[in-house]
Structures are given as C-alpha cells and as structure tokens.
Amino acid sequence: RELLTGQSNIVGAVLPMMNNIFFMDMFNELGRALGEQNLRLQLTMVENRNAFLEVLKEFAARRYRLALAIAPEDNIPVPQAITASVPLISLFSPLRGRGIHFLSPDEEKTGRDAVRYLYNRGHRRILHLTYARQAYAIGARTQGYKRQCREMGLPSRVLVNADSEALAHAWKRDRPTAIFCHNDWMALRVLLLLSEKGVRVPEDISILGVDNSPTLIAINPRLTTLAYPLTSAVSAVMSILAGKSTTLNRERYQVIERATVRSLLGHAP
C-alpha cells in the first residue's frame, strides 16, 4: 500500500540513549494518539549527532509520515533534503534548519514559576539542583530561577550533578528551606539522599520536582511537582501532522501540590 500510494503510516521518533523516564511517558501518550489515526510509532535510540542525522535521513528516504526528534544536543544543523521529504518536529531541544517545528513551553518561565510558587509558600532560601548537560530546558530553567531570585531579592545557589556529600555541604552551609529540582527523577534521588542523612521532607526541607511523570509519581505519589503540559504537546503534534501550525510557547507547567512542599507562612523561614 505504501509503494502504491507513496505515503507511509509510520511516524519515526529518534531520541538519545539516556535514562529519561519522562521521554518514555511522553511517547506512550503519543503512541496512543497516533494509533487512533491508524499510524504506527517507531522509536530509534542514538548516541551522537552523526547517528541522529543518519536516522533522520532514513526517515526521509522512507517517506515517513512524520519525524519526531529529541536531539542529543541543541542546534544540530539538519539538511534541507531531510525536511523537504518528511515533516520534522523537535521536542525539548531546538534544531537548525528550514521547516522544523520546535515544540517547547517557555522553560525560563518554568524556572520563574517554581521560585514564585515556593516564595508564596514562605520560602526565602531556595536551592536549585540541575544537570551539567548543555541543553535548552536545563539552561533556561536555571536562568529563570536565577532571574526570579534576583528580582525578589533572594539568594540563588545552583548545584550541578550533586552527590550526597555536595548536597549535605549545601544543606549545612546555606540552610535552604526548599530545593527546586530540574525534574522528578532528580527530586526522587534527592529524597533518597536526604533520607539517608536523616533530613525529613517536608518537615526539615521542601522538595519540588518538574514533569509530573506518571511512572515516577507511581513510585512516590507524595511528590509535589510542576506538570509538563503533556496533553497540549500531544495535541500540537497531531495538529502539525494535519498540516496546521502551532506552538507551546504560551503553555505553562501547572503546580501539582502533594506532600513534599511545606508552607512556612506564619513561621520563621
């Protein structure tokens, strides 16, 4: 049928070989939505930019209905020969080239919203834990955190790839009342590290994650987090598939309050 019609029913997705459970959660939702349109989702893992581009070339050569990409690094140049043959959507990390759809919320706003939420709960010493990898979402959330802290007259402190000792040192030195983690995976890791040190959450310190990953929340349903606009992202992908233009720039992460953030209002922070 594909040879006769010249149209494939496969949507190809390429993503880095990394331990990111939220990516799997997202592609589960995308797979369901595509299945309702009688389309099949094919996932391919890559380790570097060369392998990434080779997979995109294959998607284009086979005339896949759509290509979804989570790039191993930001701003990889994509040849026009690829984008002329297959519609390309980049998630989380921007790519360079003509005709590429980049779907991402305003991640600097995410960092700002995290600080505002914790501030409104009475927190004045907020530590940010993040990753060393250079990527749009990582850098933009950190930038938003720093700028919002500065505008509110709060001290800012960023720890990168913190281990148990670095976290314990920051706890003793800065006495943070809250930790804003880049994602839920990091938040759950921090919860474990703090429990090993005898630090109670939220009695001694509050923890805020990002993503509202269904898989990770199933592991710890107590985690307070900022929910990625997953439904809107899936809808945006389906709109682009239908030939419509759309964006996630105005979408915001919604606070999902559970049990790991304590209000300090009425208490000395």
Side-chain angles (χ1 to χ4, degrees), residues 100-120:
I100 300 172
H101 304 272
F102 177 46
L103 290 182
S104 175
D106 184 339
E107 293 290 6
E108 181 175 327
K109 186 183 295 182
T110 304
R112 286 180 173 274
D113 287 348
V115 174
R116 289 192 195 102
Y117 166 70
L118 292 169
Y119 182 91
N120 289 336

Side-chain angles (χ1 to χ4, degrees), residues 105-112 135-146 182:
D106 184 339
E107 293 290 6
E108 181 175 327
K109 186 183 295 182
T110 304
R112 286 180 173 274
Y136 164 72
I138 294 172
R141 284 182 200 171
T142 298
Q143 193 72 7
Y145 157 82
K146 289 180 177 179
H182 175 77

Side-chain angles (χ1 to χ4, degrees), residues 110-129 145 148-149 152 154-155 176-182 201-202 205-210 223-226 255-257 259-265 269:
T110 304
R112 286 180 173 274
D113 287 348
V115 174
R116 289 192 195 102
Y117 166 70
L118 292 169
Y119 182 91
N120 289 336
R121 300 284 284 169
H123 296 276
R124 301 296 181 265
R125 296 189 300 277
I126 303 167
L127 179 67
H128 179 43
L129 264 59
Y145 157 82
Q148 193 62 42
C149 283
M152 288 181 160
L154 305 179
T177 63
I179 300 177
F180 162 42
C181 299
H182 175 77
V201 176
I205 193 166
S206 293
I207 304 294
L208 177 65
V210 176
L223 182 64
T224 299
T225 187
L226 296 173
V255 176
I256 308 297
E257 290 194 286
T260 60
V261 172
R262 175 190 177 205
S263 176
L264 297 182
L265 297 176

